[in-house]
Amino acid sequence: MTKKYIAREFLKLAAKGHSHEAFRLYVGENFKHHNAYFKGNADTLMLAMEESARTNPNKIFTIHHILRDENLVAVHSHVKQNSSDLGAAVVHIFRFEADKIVELWDLGQPIPKETINENGMF
């Protein structure tokens, strides 16, 4: 199982409302994250992911790119809360120890209705 595979499966499980399973399978001890809206521990983020999935049961999560550099994996994705939502371009950066996620950063940019850039966000 590669680190890219683990990052992909972690996000897919969390997006589908299975954050407890995602954390159980793929997160290591002393996990921390850097989302400014939640305390920096695993339990807080896991519960926030679960609540997001419950609030938005029709969430659409599409991965466009996955990059690996030694113990870091970056996932560039499109997250929509429902089919009519324009969504956001999101980058998750995972730091691994062995085959477990021990640190996570996430950054997002809302997709505007109109864009000047002809290349799109993906």
Side-chain angles (χ1 to χ4, degrees):
M1 197 173 341
T2 68
K3 289 173 177 55
K4 288 167 65 172
Y5 173 87
I6 292 167
R8 176 188 300 115
E9 291 304 305
F10 175 86
L11 290 172
K12 285 169 60 176
L13 283 169
K16 290 180 181 175
H18 305 295
S19 62
H20 285 275
E21 183 179 359
F23 275 76
R24 180 181 60 79
L25 290 172
Y26 302 121
V27 170
E29 291 184 33
N30 302 315
F31 171 86
K32 63 182 178 179
H33 70 87
H34 300 273
N35 186 309
Y37 299 102
F38 306 103
K39 286 187 161 196
N41 59 55
D43 287 341
T44 302
L45 185 62
M46 180 176 57
L47 293 173
M49 289 174 158
E50 189 176 82
E51 177 62 24
S52 173
R54 191 170 32 255
T55 305
N56 303 291
N58 299 314
K59 184 179 292 183
I60 301 164
F61 176 73
T62 307
I63 294 174
H64 290 272
H65 305 98
I66 301 179
L67 309 169
R68 178 176 173 213
D69 183 17
E70 298 191 20
N71 69 336
L72 297 173
V73 173
V75 180
H76 177 219
S77 57
H78 185 187
V79 179
K80 297 171 63 171
Q81 300 307 320
N82 56 60
S83 61
S84 63
D85 180 29
L86 290 174
V90 179
V91 175
H92 290 87
I93 303 170
F94 297 89
R95 185 174 67 82
F96 284 79
E97 286 181 3
D99 286 333
K100 294 292 184 178
I101 299 164
V102 295
E103 195 163 9
L104 172 63
W105 296 263
D106 58 331
L107 312 146
Q109 181 179 7
I111 296 175
K113 289 181 184 177
E114 295 181 25
T115 179
I116 296 169
N117 188 310
E118 67 278 3
N119 299 316
M121 295 184 73
F122 305 99

